[in-house]
Amino acid sequence: MGLGLGGVACGLVGEDPTRAQAGLLLLGMLVAFLVGRLGRAKQAQVDRLTADLSTEILERKRAEEARRQSEMRMRAFFENSVAALGISKAGVHVSVNAAYARMFGHESPEVLVGTPILDLIAPSHRQEILELVRRRSRREDVPDNYETRALRKDGTEFDMDVCVSSYEEDGEVFTIVVLRDITPRKVAERQLEESEARYRSLYNRTPVMLHSIDHEGRLLAVSDQWLATLGYERAEVLGRRSTEFLTEQSRRHAQEVVLPRYWKTGWCKDVPYQFVKRNGEKVDVLLSAIAEMGPQGPTRSLAVIIDVTERNRLEEALRQAQKMEAIGLLAGGIAHDFNNILTSIAGHAELIHSGLPPESPLLGDVEQVAHSVERAAALTHQLLAFSRRQVLKPQVLDLGAVVVDIEKMLRRLIGEHIELVTELAPGVGPVRVDPGQMQQVIMNLAINARDAMPNGGRLVLRTGARELACAEAAAMNLPPGSYVTLEVEDNGSGMDEVTRVRVFEPFFTTKALGRGTGLGLSTVYGIVTQSGGHIRVESQPGVGSVFRVLLPRVSGPASVVPTTPVPTGAVEGNETILLVEDEEMLRRLLRPVLEMRGYTVLEAPHGAEAWEKCCAHPGPVHLVVTDVVMPQLGGRELVARLRARQPDIKVLYVSGYTDDDMVHRGVGAEGAAFLQKPFTPETLVRTVRQVLDDAGPRETVSRPASG
């Protein structure tokens, strides 16, 4: 009965409060009626039923009020939220808040209700979003969060983050979306990507080598130049320790000295290392690095590596050239002074020899003195060749023809135990060299090769042509252009690096005591460089050596210039000779020698006094015999003055060496003859007679008798 009454009460009360009060009154009357009928026995049960009904009605009222308040709060949250919120069904807006509308440039949310969601999506992304909506409506598994490109009311686009969720009501699926404008973030990301791309481009395209390592020294990144220099691919090196690419000596230096200090300080500068290329070649570098410091110390570092291989080579070449130049100056100065002494010794020895009777026991001693002078003169001649202070008689020659002319002599010189091979390239062009000096170059190189092959071997003489570009020519201190090459190659004992860099120094030799003077290769060096060329050597112990000579190629046909014959007739005369020599001992020797042959001699210690004596002399001066380098007024300046006063005067220069200007321009440019010290009195008087008898000024270069 209680359940029946409860149902009746609920039907009467309903959900309206006014109806609830009327229902309660009617219910009370019904209960009173029933009580009267049932009696007191049923009163307690009726009271309990009434209480239960009242409690149920009050709880329902409270629940309904709570739901109403919750809906009000949710509506307030939805409408006033700063987040852009929207509800849609089947791709059409059902409800949106003000933030949602503002995001798309609308003043009121109502204008969006009933509009398709796709209208707010940029055209480039609509197909993608449409597919997501379709899949969601079919309750397929689709992502709840994604990014897309949205479209504002004014037509501008922006980046948007979308977070979606779904719920079902009355059998229909509704979608709740939370939108966020991520344009600032996307701009920042794009800027970061562009910055990263620029950094990566700069990192990879920088003209120096770069690499980055972690705290364990493993390579994290390397630049393109790093890979190009060492010959590796990027995949081959990333993850490997950077020290793996160093030479053993550099690796020890890095591990024992540089890295312990570097990981403490976080930086290093211009550390010299040697890297090893993939093909085994070594690369000299200077490495500078800085580390990123973390709480526990360095985390990673960036190293800038500069390839200084070529610079080191050029610096070493410059140091070697400066050393050779200094030695050359010293050698030339010594040879000059020594030649004056040798000239005096040779002259007096010849005078003594001519004054002794044939049976004199002193003749042998005097001849030994003359022989010793010849040997000493040969040494000074080699020193002059090295110091590039000898006078050359250059001619336009075919270098291959010079090799052919000397080939027979070379075969006798090197011996039958050595195979001589000539490889002469045709049409390489002529060179302008002194033929005698060029033969000496070939002979000295052949002798050097012979001594490197005591048990026999193979000697190759090879000619060719080569073009030097600016960079390569500058490394050899030569002008760019066309060159003729001469290679002398042997398969002998070879040289180590220490010997190779000193091989052209005078008096440096690896031969046993008494087996050589150490002037052969230094003479070659002087002749080649004085001829405007370059010589270098490549050698390895146990493999052999290759000497490469480069000489400038000239235009025009090769020719042979006839040498001036030495006069064999009478050497006396009656002409007047002006003798200018700053060494008194030579003047005391040469004046009587000339006067004994009938000449009138005007003597002067330097050019200034010679000019005064010439001006004071009443008659003509037929020949001036003068040293080249003298105090106060040099020989060239003196000759210029004398020819201005007397144009037909003959000139004979004598000197222990000539300055660079005389060497390169040549005495022939002045129509003068040249006699190189040391010389004997007989050589002097014959040269004097030859110059005086010449019909006109011409170049006459006389070598010493020993030379």
Side-chain angles (χ1 to χ4, degrees), residues 570-579 591 593-602 617 619-625 646 648-650 685 687-694:
V571 293
E572 292 83 1
N574 56 6
E575 291 90 348
T576 299
I577 298 176
L578 176 61
L579 176 63
R591 178 169 184 168
V593 167
L594 293 171
E595 289 179 337
M596 289 172 57
R597 300 303 177 105
Y599 298 106
T600 300
V601 179
L602 305 178
H617 184 66
V621 175
H622 302 89
L623 173 67
V624 55
V625 179
Q646 184 181 335
D648 60 344
I649 192 171
K650 302 292 182 66
V685 296
T687 305
V688 165
R689 189 68 261 164
Q690 178 186 350
V691 174
L692 287 170
D693 290 343
D694 279 346

Side-chain angles (χ1 to χ4, degrees), residues 227-247:
L227 297 171
T229 300
L230 300 184
Y232 288 95
E233 297 294 333
R234 187 169 274 102
E236 295 180 274
V237 301
L238 295 183
R240 296 170 61 180
R241 296 185 185 276
S242 61
T243 52
E244 294 182 31
F245 302 94
L246 299 177
T247 62

Side-chain angles (χ1 to χ4, degrees), residues 264-508:
K264 290 180 180 179
T265 62
W267 72 279
C268 63
K269 181 176 175 58
D270 291 340
V271 179
Y273 281 141
Q274 267 196 334
F275 276 80
V276 181
K277 294 184 178 182
R278 187 174 189 175
N279 61 8
E281 295 180 9
K282 297 177 181 178
V283 181
D284 296 325
V285 303
L286 290 178
L287 184 146
S288 300
I290 186 168
E292 297 178 9
M293 305 300 290
Q296 305 301 322
T299 56
R300 59 183 291 166
S301 69
L302 171 66
V304 179
I305 307 162
I306 301 176
D307 185 351
V308 294
T309 306
E310 183 64 15
R311 189 184 79 180
N312 287 351
R313 190 187 68 80
L314 292 176
E315 288 178 352
E316 179 59 29
L318 177 60
R319 285 192 293 269
Q320 184 68 11
Q322 290 173 336
K323 180 173 69 173
M324 299 292 278
E325 184 68 22
I327 296 174
L329 290 173
L330 176 62
I334 292 174
H336 171 260
D337 294 338
F338 198 49
N339 277 338
N340 284 333
I341 298 173
L342 290 177
T343 302
S344 178
I345 295 173
H348 287 95
E350 184 175 292
L351 293 176
I352 294 173
H353 186 277
S354 62
L356 291 175
E359 66 277 4
S360 173
L362 298 177
L363 282 176
D365 295 332
V366 175
E367 291 173 354
Q368 186 59 44
V369 170
H371 180 64
S372 298
V373 168
E374 290 181 357
R375 293 185 59 189
L379 291 177
T380 59
H381 183 67
Q382 288 179 304
L383 287 176
L384 287 172
F386 167 75
S387 62
R388 293 166 290 169
R389 295 189 171 188
Q390 61 179 339
V391 174
L392 302 180
K393 293 185 64 178
Q395 302 176 18
V396 178
L397 300 173
D398 181 351
L399 195 57
V402 177
V403 174
V404 171
D405 289 342
I406 201 174
E407 183 177 354
K408 291 183 179 179
M409 181 170 52
L410 287 180
R411 293 188 184 278
R412 294 192 299 268
L413 189 65
I414 63 177
E416 296 181 354
H417 64 298
I418 294 177
E419 178 188 7
L420 177 61
V421 179
T422 58
E423 299 176 0
L424 309 179
V428 297
V431 294
R432 192 170 187 270
V433 294
D434 185 315
Q437 296 296 315
M438 202 64 232
Q439 289 181 350
Q440 185 174 354
V441 166
I442 298 173
M443 283 193 297
N444 285 359
L445 292 176
I447 291 173
N448 183 76
R450 178 200 65 186
D451 294 341
M453 299 182 289
N455 299 321
R458 190 170 187 263
L459 173 61
V460 180
L461 299 181
R462 183 183 299 113
T463 62
R466 185 172 179 181
E467 293 290 332
L468 290 186
C470 293
E472 189 177 13
M476 301 181 189
N477 197 26
L478 295 174
S482 301
Y483 289 81
V484 177
T485 62
L486 169 67
E487 294 183 0
V488 180
E489 180 179 354
D490 67 73
N491 58 354
S493 57
M495 296 175 280
D496 57 22
E497 185 68 15
V498 175
T499 302
R500 189 189 64 78
V501 297
R502 299 189 60 192
V503 71
F504 295 118
E505 294 180 10
F507 305 114
F508 174 78

